[in-house]
Amino acid sequence: MGSSASSESTTRQNSANPSERAALLIPSVSQSIESSMSRVVRANHQPQPTRFTSNVVSTTKYNALTFLPLFLFESFRRYSNAFFLFIACLQQIPDVSPTGRWTTLVPLSFILFVSACKEIFEDTKRRIADGGVNNRSVVVFSGDVSGSGNGRFDEICWRDVKVGDVVKVRNGEEIPSDLILISSSEPQGICYIETANLDGETNLKTRSPLHQTVGITTDDQLESLEATIECESPNRNLYEFTGNIRLGSSSHNIPLGPDQLLLRGSRLKNTEWVYGIVVFTGHDTKLMQNSKKGAILLLKRSQLDEFANRQILIMFGLLLLVCVISGTGNAIWRQYHTPRDWYLTPFLVDQHFGFSFLTFFILYNNLIPISLQVSLEMVRFFQTLFIGWDLEMYDETSDTPALARTSNLNEDLGQVKFVFSDKTGTVTENKMIFRQCSIGGMVFGVQETTSEQFVDSNLIAALGTTAPIAKSIHDFLLALALCHTVVPETNPADPERPFYLASSPDEAALVGAAAQLGYVFLKRQSDKVTIHLKNPKTGRFEEIDYELLDVLDFNSDRKRMSVIVRTPQGKILLICKGADSVICERLGPEQPVLDVTLQQLEDFAQKGYRTLCVSQVELSPDVYAQWKAKQKQAATAMDKRKEKINEVNELIEKELVLLGATAIEDRLQAGVPACIATLLDAGIKVWILTGDKMETAINIGRSCNLLTHDMRLILLKQPTFDGVREAVTKFRAELGDAVGKESPVGLVVDGKALYHALNAAVRKDFLDIAVSCKAVICCRVSPMQKADVITAVRARNPKDITLAIGDGANDVAMIQTAHVGVGISGKEGLQAVCASDYAVSQFRFLQKLLLVHGAWSYERIAKLILYCYHKNICLYIMQFYFAVASSFSGQTMFERWTIGLYNLAFTAAPPFVLGIFDKSCSAKSRMKYPKLYEPNQRGELFNYTVFWRWIATSLFHALLIFCITFGIFYRETVWPDGTNSGGFVFGAAAYTYVIVVVCLKAGLETSSWTLLSHIGIWGSIVSWFIYIPIYSNLWPHLLNFGDDFVGMERALFGSWVFWFGLLIVPVVTLMADVCFKCLWNTWYPTVVDQVRQIERHGDEREFVWEPILGRLLPRQRDSGVMLDSSLNGVVAPQRGYAFSQDEGGLVTQAEIALHENTDARYAERMARRSRESLAASSSSLQGSPRSLGRDVKIKGGMKIKHL
């Protein structure tokens, strides 16, 4: 089947909606599309009734046919490239160009060649990554069409998987496509999956097959499997699935839901194998539906680049104006002089306005600098190298440096206004560590430790005493070992230390801590659980069975869970754990340690720990029997069953006795709180977009300093559109005049509420509230919802730069949607890194990436663009001034090849010096004073005012240079040999003065002088003076051009007028610039100027920004007054806890806990392995393959065994 599968070709169909955002913003349309039952799949049958998309996934931008048209389209979206292509075409017209035919085409070709190589290199990396995914192997069942019952499993590549195939996925493998679960190796057919690539959560989730298919586990059963699946069209909703299945010839439809769906990208965990029927492949899978293909096709461009691109249009208009003036002047001059100056008639008779206009258009075309694109590309390349070379952004643990995967967005890093961050794996390490606990009013656990286990020898010592606290500790640890839904996995190496399978990392941490302290949850059977603990009477370790009577499951409304057990002594205990707010109101009247425990909970919260309270109560048999009768009645109710069960649970969960409280650390990545605090001080808004529950997200927001204790929280979690609209209207009215201004308010939005909040009818008000909040957290959001949030913010604030940072495949959509995408090379694979623009190994490195490298890049690129326009206008606008003085003849003022070398040689170095090495403030100062980042956010270094001020300055400089030079050489200078200065001598002198002026201007704009700065600026001036005598003597000996420049060194260097002009022209031209800079920096110093003064004086004092005065002032020393905790960076107290386990579902956590049989599962697994091993041995001896444990054939004739 492997070879036949690979030979069959499939046609990819683009089933994605043409407008994803439209579907999101119009719920009725989206729901009607997503709920339509339009796909029919026949299991175990090929070909299918309908041709579906193949399982090949492509994230590349080009192929062999589309590269050239797409690349040219992207290249000539830049107006400068389109402009110079037009100029290059005009220069090919004979007798039109005064500057030659190749002076524009050659540089333009070089620019396009470099850009094409870069695009090919980046797309090749994407193609290699796609090939690695598409060529992964998977086992597929191949039915025997002859009916002889010789079906077998073939190992094929992912690319060859088809809709309708029956796939076998083994433990630890990734799901190759969206599958309908048939059966698994586990009891009841359930399986455990990890969905980190989909929603960022690493806790295990359960999926269960239909009871009609749970018994299909053998090859013969798979061979005879006939099923028809009818399901919804491909869509991007991760949490919903609608379908029906018909088994055999039956016409009875059995409903399918999300509990039977295994999504591509999820990974099978703690389950030996599963069988599944393929329903969605390739780009039809929900994972790929949540990626943004269009974001790959469109090249990201920086905002500064787009702004400069728009200025080219205005400069083009200015160029046309100058050409029209020159052409009109030429026409007027010809009309006046042709009748009078008869000897000029042969030269003027063929000229007309159109011809003159084209001549001047080519003559003035370099007002728009062609060298700018080359300079930008090379400078950005060096800036990316600096990012990768920064040792302070290098992670020694993972041996991972920072990586710039694109150079187009360096300057955008310096203007970020919104940071959208994933939580799990990005802000947190997703490690739950049991740190401290409160038992009987005493706190146990060492906080200051790097260990990932609970550390406190006092607790073990107290447990061994006869003091009253020993009984409290015993009850507390026993409650942790009993009250949960964890499933133990037998550890063959150490049966007394099992592995724990938990749908919530919190529960795994609690049970693991109890096991570490001697209360080992050993195994679970259908009606009892076994705890391995020390018998207080005998002092020996024993296995003690507790009868498990009931499990009252957790959900977000209850905020607690309970178990009811019968002890070996016959007592009935209800053990309850949950948020302190719900536990305290269910406590009995006498609680001697309640007040002190609540105070200790506050202390735990101050440290950023996730807390919960543990309690229990002894039930009489009569009370339990009465409650059980009511519980059965509620569980069988046909109407409002869930509400009635909750009401009955309330009856038994009361009169509790407080045992203590726990403190779990959801470990943040190193430096995250400090990084977020610094980003907020820099004026950057931080939003967290996560798939976690609301309680979890709030706790993390407080732990990482995003939410503070003085911040009012707005919770938006209404599940209906009307509820969301009403809440948004209410919150907007409460904010009042504060809308649009940053307020000390935090907004927390649930995924369902967010879906309705982005509806067109509510979106504007919702975004007004969100942007006004200091912190925003969106929880339970899908990957595409993350992208839609960023899209909405970009639409509302089009001038603000957005940045998205994440570490998993679920973050790819938002990384591609934001202006800048940053991937974290974490434990969830490299999908985010491959889709990102920049990659770092830790969230804290984002601080230096933005505040230092981003700010430097923005300043440097801004200066580079402005300076390139300045130096070009200074030289080429003089052609216009010369045209006025030469009767608009269209003659060039400078020798043609000297013009070509102006940008290529004589003024090439200063832009690179400014763009690569210049920095206004040191990295240390930028990290110390985040306020330095705000001017960049406001675009103060590059905007309309700044740009046109530079243009006006350039026109003024050019006018001064031309007038002074023209005045010096007006009467023509006579040399000792009797010759006089010609036009090119005048042009060469003016050319010299321009080079000196623009190089000195670069020095004037340089903020930090280095050795390379001196070499680049002074060396450029020297290079021209070296060039003059060389080029003046090459014709006709070595070159067949350059005759206009012969003897130029003698003409210039032998004239005192030239040397006089060399002294006077730069001084007069730059005097106004020097005076303006000195006066402005003295009277109106910016925050950058103030920090530069602090650096220059070496002032080591700490300065703070005073917004009223607009100045940095020394921080006053504390005078014995205790500062507010918020000033000291103390995190806000948090109360309550958060489970991240699944709610609802076909098989609840309570049912798994009540019906799980650890011994039976382990025995069944061992027996199965023995049977498979025996079958494999028998097959090997007999030479005939058998099923499952038989030989598995691979392409090429090789065989392997799966045992």
Side-chain angles (χ1 to χ4, degrees):
M1 177 179 175
S3 59
S4 63
S6 61
S7 64
E8 293 182 13
S9 62
T10 56
T11 302
R12 172 167 297 169
Q13 298 173 348
N14 185 9
S15 58
N17 296 330
S19 177
E20 294 176 338
R21 191 168 61 175
L24 174 78
L25 300 181
I26 309 176
S28 59
V29 175
S30 173
Q31 292 168 358
S32 64
I33 292 175
E34 294 182 357
S35 63
S36 62
M37 308 281 284
S38 62
R39 172 166 292 214
V40 178
V41 178
R42 296 179 63 185
N44 243 351
H45 184 278
Q46 296 296 344
Q48 292 293 316
T50 306
R51 302 187 69 180
F52 299 108
T53 181
S54 73
N55 204 38
V56 176
V57 169
S58 174
T59 60
T60 57
K61 183 178 177 181
Y62 308 106
N63 59 40
L65 296 178
T66 62
F67 173 75
L68 191 60
L70 281 177
F71 171 73
L72 293 178
F73 171 75
E74 289 289 349
S75 298
F76 291 108
R77 284 176 63 202
R78 298 178 184 270
Y79 298 138
S80 58
N81 288 342
F83 170 75
F84 289 119
L85 177 64
F86 178 63
I87 294 296
C89 294
L90 290 181
Q91 286 183 326
Q92 307 311 307
I93 301 175
D95 302 326
V96 171
S97 173
T99 58
R101 300 176 62 183
W102 312 110
T103 53
T104 301
L105 185 60
V106 171
L108 179 62
S109 301
F110 174 74
I111 293 171
L112 295 179
F113 175 75
V114 172
S115 299
C117 291
K118 175 186 172 185
E119 287 294 305
I120 292 174
F121 175 72
E122 292 181 350
D123 209 54
T124 300
K125 290 195 296 184
R126 285 191 287 265
R127 189 174 300 277
I128 293 173
D130 291 340
V133 173
N134 293 325
N135 292 321
R136 292 176 181 173
S137 60
V138 66
V139 177
V140 174
F141 184 77
S142 174
D144 184 62
V145 295
S146 65
S148 60
N150 291 325
R152 65 179 185 272
F153 281 98
D154 289 341
E155 188 160 303
I156 64 175
C157 294
W158 278 24
R159 64 170 62 248
D160 298 322
V161 174
K162 297 183 179 63
V163 172
D165 284 346
V166 176
V167 174
K168 177 184 179 182
V169 182
R170 293 161 292 198
N171 186 33
E173 292 184 345
E174 198 168 303
I175 309 297
S177 55
D178 290 353
L179 310 176
I180 295 297
L181 178 62
I182 302 176
S183 60
S184 78
S185 60
E186 302 305 305
Q188 306 177 58
I190 64 173
C191 67
Y192 300 91
I193 59 172
E194 182 186 78
T195 59
N197 283 336
L198 298 170
D199 55 19
E201 296 185 22
T202 56
N203 51 289
L204 300 184
K205 297 178 174 61
T206 56
R207 294 293 181 266
S208 57
L210 299 173
H211 71 272
Q212 291 91 341
T213 64
V214 70
I216 301 177
T217 58
T218 67
D219 287 2
D220 293 337
Q221 291 171 319
L222 289 174
E223 182 77 28
S224 60
L225 174 63
E226 293 184 8
T228 302
I229 298 173
E230 183 182 5
C231 63
E232 63 191 12
S233 299
N235 60 77
R236 57 187 175 90
N237 196 327
L238 294 176
Y239 306 109
E240 294 183 8
F241 177 76
T242 304
N244 295 318
I245 184 171
R246 293 191 301 273
L247 297 175
S249 59
S250 171
S251 60
H252 176 62
N253 284 332
I254 305 172
L256 295 171
D259 286 296
Q260 288 80 48
L261 186 65
L262 303 179
L263 298 179
R264 177 184 177 128
S266 55
R267 188 176 297 275
L268 188 66
K269 289 285 190 179
N270 302 112
T271 307
E272 278 199 59
W273 51 262
V274 297
Y275 293 144
I277 302 172
V278 178
V279 288
F280 298 126
T281 52
H283 287 269
D284 285 348
T285 60
K286 290 181 181 290
L287 174 65
M288 297 308 299
Q289 289 281 306
N290 275 277
S291 66
K292 292 183 71 80
K293 178 70 175 177
I296 300 174
L297 295 178
L298 293 178
L299 179 67
K300 286 185 179 181
R301 297 177 60 188
S302 70
Q303 194 175 76
L304 190 146
D305 199 16
E306 292 180 349
F307 178 82
N309 198 39
R310 292 194 295 270
Q311 302 315 301
I312 289 177
L313 291 178
I314 303 178
M315 289 297 298
F316 182 73
L318 180 62
L319 173 63
L320 292 179
L321 177 63
V322 174
C323 292
V324 168
I325 294 174
S326 299
T328 303
N330 176 269
I332 294 174
W333 189 92
R334 282 187 293 103
Q335 183 179 5
Y336 179 75
H337 283 272
T338 299
R340 297 176 49 195
D341 303 329
W342 56 268
Y343 53 88
L344 295 178
T345 301
F347 303 99
L348 302 179
V349 68
D350 294 332
Q351 292 188 15
H352 51 82
F353 177 81
F355 183 88
S356 300
F357 179 86
L358 290 180
T359 299
F360 286 115
F361 192 81
I362 296 173
L363 187 64
Y364 301 151
N365 79 87
N366 281 301
L367 288 176
I368 301 174
I370 190 173
S371 63
L372 176 60
Q373 294 302 324
V374 178
S375 301
L376 283 174
E377 291 293 332
M378 297 186 68
V379 165
R380 285 168 173 160
F381 173 74
F382 278 101
Q383 290 174 350
T384 60
L385 293 181
F386 293 156
I387 292 175
W389 292 343
D390 193 336
L391 293 180
E392 294 184 7
M393 297 170 62
Y394 169 75
D395 183 35
E396 295 182 359
T397 305
S398 59
D399 189 27
T400 307
L403 174 66
R405 303 185 70 253
T406 182
S407 58
N408 298 326
L409 306 173
N410 295 343
E411 54 270 30
D412 271 358
L413 291 173
Q415 293 184 281
V416 172
K417 184 64 177 177
F418 290 90
V419 168
F420 299 90
S421 174
D422 178 41
K423 182 194 78 69
T424 306
T426 303
V427 174
T428 69
E429 296 181 359
N430 202 39
K431 291 182 179 179
M432 303 297 176
I433 303 173
F434 188 91
R435 281 291 180 217
Q436 292 183 294
C437 60
S438 168
I439 306 174
M442 297 180 61
V443 174
F444 297 94
V446 178
Q447 176 191 359
E448 294 79 12
T449 178
T450 58
S451 173
E452 295 186 3
Q453 292 185 332
F454 180 81
V455 178
D456 194 341
S457 58
N458 295 328
L459 187 145
I460 301 296
L463 185 60
T465 66
T466 58
I469 190 65
K471 175 67 167 57
S472 300
I473 295 175
H474 169 78
D475 292 342
F476 179 82
L477 295 178
L478 185 61
L480 295 185
L482 291 173
C483 185
H484 54 77
T485 59
V486 171
V487 176
E489 177 79 14
T490 303
N491 182 1
D494 186 1
E496 295 183 357
R497 293 291 180 182
F499 303 118
Y500 293 129
L501 313 180
S503 63
S504 164
D506 305 77
E507 290 219 299
L510 295 175
V511 177
Q516 177 200 341
L517 296 171
Y519 288 70
V520 182
F521 171 55
L522 201 58
K523 56 187 175 181
R524 186 187 295 277
Q525 295 172 303
S526 58
D527 59 349
K528 65 181 179 180
V529 293
T530 302
I531 307 297
H532 183 270
L533 53 81
K534 186 177 182 180
N535 190 318
K537 295 181 179 180
T538 63
R540 292 181 299 181
F541 284 92
E542 300 176 355
E543 293 184 6
I544 302 177
D545 293 334
Y546 290 82
E547 184 181 355
L548 185 60
L549 301 177
D550 280 287
V551 177
L552 312 186
D553 213 352
F554 165 87
N555 62 49
S556 54
D557 295 326
R558 285 167 41 81
K559 295 185 179 180
R560 65 190 184 278
M561 74 156 295
S562 302
V563 297
I564 302 177
V565 298
R566 193 189 307 272
T567 69
Q569 294 78 26
K571 296 180 181 179
I572 300 177
L573 292 180
L574 181 144
I575 305 172
C576 182
K577 66 180 182 184
D580 62 308
S581 58
V582 297
I583 297 295
C584 290
E585 62 187 23
R586 289 164 175 80
L587 295 177
E590 296 184 5
Q591 302 293 329
V593 297
L594 176 59
D595 293 337
V596 65
T597 301
L598 291 178
Q599 180 58 48
Q600 289 160 353
L601 280 171
E602 293 285 354
D603 296 338
F604 293 156
Q606 289 283 354
K607 300 168 186 174
Y609 294 152
R610 301 168 66 167
T611 61
L612 60 84
C613 289
V614 182
S615 61
Q616 72 177 28
V617 64
E618 183 177 347
L619 305 175
S620 67
D622 293 338
V623 171
Y624 174 71
Q626 294 174 9
W627 174 85
K628 187 63 177 178
K630 295 180 181 179
Q631 196 264 352
K632 288 182 178 180
Q633 184 179 359
T636 56
M638 299 301 296
D639 186 31
K640 297 182 179 181
R641 178 180 299 177
K642 183 178 178 180
E643 291 78 2
K644 291 180 179 180
I645 290 176
N646 287 338
E647 291 174 1
V648 172
N649 290 344
E650 290 280 352
L651 299 177
I652 196 74
E653 293 173 324
K654 60 183 182 179
E655 301 297 324
L656 302 174
V657 177
L658 182 64
L659 298 178
T662 63
I664 296 178
E665 178 188 8
D666 186 359
R667 179 179 287 180
L668 297 171
Q669 290 195 12
V672 166
C675 177
I676 290 181
T678 302
L679 295 179
L680 295 175
D681 289 341
I684 300 174
K685 294 179 179 290
V686 180
W687 292 25
I688 290 182
L689 312 178
T690 177
D692 278 344
K693 295 183 183 296
M694 182 173 287
E695 288 285 347
T696 308
I698 292 174
N699 285 340
I700 292 301
R702 286 169 169 159
S703 300
C704 67
N705 282 348
L706 184 61
L707 302 178
T708 58
H709 72 281
D710 59 344
M711 184 179 291
R712 175 195 169 197
L713 280 186
I714 295 178
L715 303 181
L716 190 62
K717 54 181 180 179
Q718 290 75 9
T720 64
F721 173 76
D722 291 336
V724 170
R725 180 171 55 185
E726 181 180 350
V728 168
T729 303
K730 173 186 173 184
F731 294 145
R732 198 183 192 286
E734 290 177 357
L735 287 177
D737 296 337
V739 172
K741 305 174 184 177
E742 185 172 297
S743 306
V745 178
L747 175 64
V748 184
V749 189
D750 179 72
K752 291 183 179 179
L754 180 64
Y755 176 82
H756 298 296
L758 292 178
N759 185 286
V762 189
R763 185 169 65 250
K764 182 180 181 302
D765 289 341
F766 168 72
L767 290 175
D768 287 343
I769 296 172
V771 172
S772 303
C773 295
K774 189 173 183 179
V776 177
I777 299 176
C778 300
C779 48
R780 302 304 289 171
V781 293
S782 68
M784 280 307 300
Q785 276 185 305
K786 294 181 180 182
D788 291 329
V789 169
I790 298 176
T791 300
V793 172
R794 288 187 61 173
R796 185 193 184 278
N797 297 54
K799 295 183 179 180
D800 291 337
I801 300 295
T802 59
L803 180 146
I805 179 170
D807 71 320
N810 60 308
D811 303 315
V812 169
M814 74 169 182
I815 285 175
Q816 293 173 339
T817 303
H819 291 92
V820 183
V822 179
I824 291 185
S825 48
K827 298 180 181 179
E828 296 183 18
L830 296 177
Q831 293 94 332
V833 172
C834 292
S836 65
D837 306 303
Y838 301 88
V840 294
S841 56
Q842 295 284 331
F843 182 90
R844 59 190 171 93
F845 295 148
L846 187 64
Q847 179 179 345
K848 190 169 188 184
L849 183 65
L850 300 185
L851 303 191
V852 178
H853 292 285
W856 282 350
S857 297
Y858 170 73
E859 289 183 353
R860 292 164 176 172
I861 294 297
K863 284 186 179 181
L864 171 64
I865 295 175
L866 295 171
Y867 178 75
C868 283
Y869 274 101
H870 170 78
K871 69 186 183 70
N872 272 43
I873 290 176
C874 278
L875 182 72
Y876 295 109
I877 201 65
M878 291 177 66
Q879 300 272 26
F880 172 71
Y881 299 150
F882 181 71
V884 175
S886 61
S887 304
F888 298 101
S889 61
Q891 296 300 310
T892 178
M893 180 178 174
F894 311 109
E895 195 269 337
R896 66 176 60 184
W897 286 106
T898 303
I899 294 177
L901 290 175
Y902 178 74
N903 287 312
L904 187 62
F906 307 126
T907 61
F912 288 109
V913 169
L914 289 173
I916 298 176
F917 304 108
D918 190 50
K919 53 184 178 183
S920 58
C921 298
S922 66
K924 180 180 179 181
S925 294
R926 287 200 169 274
M927 296 285 280
K928 186 177 180 180
Y929 303 107
K931 203 71 178 177
L932 290 170
Y933 193 78
E934 292 189 4
N936 297 358
Q937 288 179 320
R938 296 190 292 267
E940 293 182 0
L941 300 182
F942 196 88
N943 51 47
Y944 285 104
T945 303
V946 172
F947 181 81
W948 287 104
R949 185 170 67 238
W950 271 75
I951 298 300
T953 301
S954 305
L955 295 172
F956 179 66
H957 285 182
L959 182 61
L960 286 178
I961 295 171
F962 179 82
C963 291
I964 297 175
T965 307
F966 190 82
I968 293 175
F969 288 89
Y970 178 69
R971 295 295 179 182
E972 295 192 351
T973 303
V974 179
W975 273 264
D977 60 358
T979 59
N980 61 357
S981 61
F984 282 116
V985 175
F986 163 70
Y991 191 95
T992 303
Y993 302 152
V994 169
I995 289 178
V996 174
V997 168
V998 298
C999 287
L1000 293 179
K1001 176 66 173 177
L1004 195 60
E1005 296 301 323
T1006 298
S1007 299
S1008 57
W1009 284 84
T1010 64
L1011 176 62
L1012 293 175
S1013 302
H1014 287 284
I1015 294 175
I1017 292 174
W1018 305 116
S1020 296
I1021 298 175
V1022 172
S1023 66
W1024 165 246
F1025 282 92
I1026 295 175
Y1027 170 84
I1028 292 175
I1030 296 176
Y1031 188 51
S1032 298
N1033 294 282
L1034 290 181
W1035 184 88
H1037 310 293
L1038 297 178
L1039 299 176
N1040 59 0
F1041 58 86
D1043 52 317
D1044 294 330
F1045 215 75
V1046 172
M1048 190 62 66
E1049 91 284 1
R1050 294 186 297 275
L1052 288 180
F1053 296 164
S1055 171
W1056 69 269
V1057 175
F1058 168 75
W1059 295 108
F1060 174 75
L1062 187 61
L1063 293 176
I1064 194 68
V1065 171
V1067 174
V1068 174
T1069 304
L1070 295 176
M1071 181 63 68
D1073 295 62
V1074 174
C1075 294
F1076 175 81
K1077 184 175 285 288
C1078 292
L1079 295 175
W1080 187 265
N1081 291 347
T1082 302
W1083 292 343
Y1084 306 101
T1086 64
V1087 63
V1088 175
D1089 298 328
Q1090 296 174 51
V1091 173
R1092 285 171 56 82
Q1093 287 290 333
I1094 295 173
E1095 289 182 345
R1096 189 169 69 87
H1097 291 99
D1099 197 332
E1100 297 296 333
R1101 292 179 297 173
E1102 185 176 355
F1103 289 79
V1104 295
W1105 178 255
E1106 174 51 55
I1108 298 178
L1109 299 178
R1111 289 183 176 272
L1112 287 170
L1113 300 178
R1115 182 187 292 275
Q1116 300 296 323
R1117 294 186 179 273
D1118 297 341
S1119 303
V1121 179
M1122 183 65 68
L1123 294 177
D1124 186 88
S1125 61
S1126 63
L1127 299 178
N1128 291 322
V1130 179
V1131 298
Q1134 62 190 69
R1135 300 290 294 276
Y1137 81 119
F1139 272 119
S1140 51
Q1141 67 184 26
D1142 283 342
E1143 298 178 29
L1146 190 64
V1147 180
T1148 65
Q1149 298 299 314
E1151 290 174 334
I1152 293 175
L1154 287 169
H1155 298 101
E1156 175 67 20
N1157 191 324
T1158 307
D1159 286 343
R1161 180 154 63 112
Y1162 182 66
E1164 181 183 349
R1165 179 170 297 177
M1166 293 299 103
R1168 185 188 305 115
R1169 289 181 176 177
S1170 298
R1171 291 194 302 269
E1172 292 171 358
S1173 179
L1174 182 61
S1177 300
S1178 176
S1179 300
S1180 176
L1181 292 174
Q1182 297 176 9
S1184 60
R1186 301 291 295 172
S1187 171
L1188 198 58
R1190 319 174 191 181
D1191 295 341
V1192 178
K1193 185 166 67 177
I1194 312 177
K1195 294 178 182 178
M1198 295 181 59
K1199 296 182 179 180
I1200 63 173
K1201 294 185 185 297
H1202 289 297
L1203 302 179

